[in-house]
Amino acid sequence: MSEFGIVTLRDLEEFQGELKKLSTVLDNYYNTVSRGLQITGQTWRDNKFEEFERDFRKYKEEIKRISEEYYRWASGYLQEEIDHVREFNNVRSVE
């Protein structure tokens, strides 16, 4: 048995907007830490830096991945749901 909650078009659009904003913020952080790592790497070159860079890069790339996923969810899945609600509302308003 499927259960459906009641969600408004406004709620979906606001959530979609928030996910897109979060994606942008994360992407900006990604760019900031990338520049910081590049600048730091110009003067800090030893075995500890290589270890730091390797570990840091892993987490930096995770930030990028999450940012892309949030944007994909907002633009894909949520947009499809928004379109369905709009279509449903249009059919109801014609009746």
Side-chain angles (χ1 to χ4, degrees):
M1 170 185 230
S2 296
E3 293 183 28
F4 295 96
I6 297 173
V7 65
T8 67
L9 180 58
R10 181 177 172 197
D11 290 339
L12 286 172
E13 289 172 333
E14 285 178 3
F15 184 53
Q16 180 188 44
E18 292 301 317
L19 273 180
K20 285 182 176 181
K21 283 180 196 174
L22 181 55
S23 173
T24 299
V25 166
L26 288 172
D27 198 46
N28 289 339
Y29 281 137
Y30 173 84
N31 292 329
T32 299
V33 297
S34 293
R35 281 190 302 276
L37 185 62
Q38 182 181 18
I39 290 167
T40 303
Q42 291 174 0
T43 56
W44 180 19
R45 281 290 174 199
D46 62 9
N47 290 339
K48 272 299 196 191
F49 177 77
E50 290 174 12
E51 180 183 332
F52 171 80
E53 182 181 33
R54 184 181 57 250
D55 292 343
F56 189 77
R57 230 175 250 290
K58 178 176 62 174
Y59 293 109
K60 183 181 73 111
E61 294 306 318
E62 188 66 13
I63 291 170
K64 184 69 169 174
R65 187 191 68 75
I66 291 169
S67 170
E68 290 170 349
E69 284 295 311
Y70 284 171
Y71 191 83
R72 186 178 62 80
W73 292 338
S75 300
Y77 178 77
L78 281 175
Q79 187 60 55
E80 290 174 12
E81 292 305 309
I82 288 169
D83 293 344
H84 289 173
V85 171
R86 283 187 181 139
E87 184 178 319
F88 178 76
N89 287 344
N90 287 339
V91 168
R92 281 190 17 204
S93 66
V94 172
E95 293 176 346

